[in-house]
Amino acid sequence: ELKVEQNPLFLSMQEGKNYTIYCNYSTTSDRLYWYRQDPGKSLESLFVLLSNGAVKQEGRLMASLDTKARLSTLHITAAVHDLSATYFCAVPDFGNEKLTFGTGTRLTIIP
Amino acid sequence: GAVVSQHPSWVICKSGTSVKIECRSLDFQATTMFWYRQFPKQSLMLMATSNEGSKATYEQGVEKDKFLINHASLTLSTLTVTSAHPEDSSFYICSARKVSSNQPQHFGDGTRLSIL
């Protein structure tokens, strides 16, 4: 059974600081997704990581994937208040699209 | 714009009522759609995989007779919560992905179900 863990679960940080969220998964997968969820809203796709060593950046967020270590990171650079949200990683079962979501990281950026 | 439309956004109804939620892919055909449930402050849990033209595949612990799924066309899947009770109150989200693409699953806006 695929298990996906995220750390930390909660993160409160000041504007301007950097931090990394970690996503570990338990079985082989060739892809990993990062999503953002604002309170009361559905999921917004952030990144699709398709291969080992993949790195993608959008604004102050950068995601990477190490399939050998079964680890993905989401790095926040010089955080701003608008980034406050819950971030989920999600891993598909190998060979199909059933997603297992991580526990989520609730990020609060303090002015 | 949205590529997956979910309706309704919010439902409040009395215990014992059956509630139908629709999920539509707007500009692509989806032979497979997914239904998730999210309780407050928790992650998304996959309930079932909706397969066009055949029976849905339910995850362990999800009651088939309670959560009826119909995927009658390539752009529409419905989830009916039958005889809903307060413990069924949750945020229900559907998703779909364009076949043979590397795009992520697109999620509907979700349906907040409150059973009194």
Side-chain angles (χ1 to χ4, degrees):
Chain A
E1 180 190 348
L2 174 59
K3 293 187 192 275
V4 183
E5 292 186 353
Q6 276 180 246
N7 282 295
L9 300 181
F10 297 93
L11 175 59
S12 180
M13 55 192 286
Q14 287 187 313
E15 280 191 327
K17 300 294 186 182
N18 305 330
Y19 206 82
T20 301
I21 298 170
Y22 297 89
C23 174
N24 290 91
Y25 54 99
S26 61
T27 63
T28 301
S29 180
D30 56 352
R31 281 164 291 148
L32 187 139
Y33 305 107
W34 282 97
Y35 291 93
R36 168 183 171 144
Q37 185 178 36
D38 290 300
K41 303 290 186 181
S42 188
L43 300 182
E44 173 192 349
S45 176
L46 293 176
F47 298 108
V48 179
L49 301 170
L50 295 174
S51 61
N52 186 40
V55 177
K56 291 205 173 170
Q57 182 162 6
E58 181 73 33
R60 301 174 188 273
L61 299 178
M62 183 172 70
S64 67
L65 177 62
D66 181 343
T67 57
K68 293 180 182 176
R70 296 176 187 167
L71 170 68
S72 180
T73 61
L74 180 66
H75 186 73
I76 303 150
T77 302
V80 293
H81 181 68
D82 287 352
L83 291 179
S84 296
T86 299
Y87 293 85
F88 291 98
C89 61
V91 180
D93 279 2
F94 193 79
N96 67 56
E97 270 303 305
K98 284 174 52 172
L99 290 181
T100 299
F101 280 81
T103 44
T105 297
R106 182 178 293 184
L107 173 64
T108 303
I109 308 297
I110 304 166
Chain B
V3 294
V4 175
S5 171
Q6 193 172 334
H7 174 81
S9 302
W10 200 357
V11 181
I12 302 175
C13 56
K14 292 183 178 179
S15 188
T17 307
S18 292
V19 178
K20 181 187 280 189
I21 304 169
E22 292 186 353
C23 181
R24 293 180 186 273
S25 55
L26 296 183
D27 60 355
F28 63 97
Q29 294 182 333
T31 54
T32 304
M33 294 185 179
F34 301 91
W35 288 97
Y36 296 85
R37 180 166 53 183
Q38 185 181 33
F39 292 108
K41 297 184 181 3
Q42 294 187 22
S43 188
L44 279 74
M45 296 296 293
L46 178 65
M47 297 176 67
T49 303
S50 174
N51 304 300
E52 188 270 334
S54 65
K55 291 182 181 179
T57 307
Y58 290 82
E59 296 301 300
Q60 192 171 8
V62 178
E63 299 175 56
K64 302 178 186 182
D65 297 332
K66 175 77 170 174
F67 300 100
L68 300 179
I69 291 172
N70 184 276
H71 194 151
S73 79
L74 286 169
T75 58
L76 173 64
S77 174
T78 60
L79 169 67
T80 301
V81 184
T82 61
S83 187
H85 291 284
E87 58 266 29
D88 298 322
S89 299
S90 189
F91 192 49
Y92 292 85
I93 311 175
C94 70
S95 73
R97 188 176 76 97
K98 295 182 183 181
V99 178
S100 301
S101 79
N102 285 323
Q103 292 186 18
Q105 289 184 24
H106 296 282
F107 287 82
D109 287 339
T111 298
R112 189 162 303 282
L113 177 62
S114 297
I115 308 298
L116 304 178

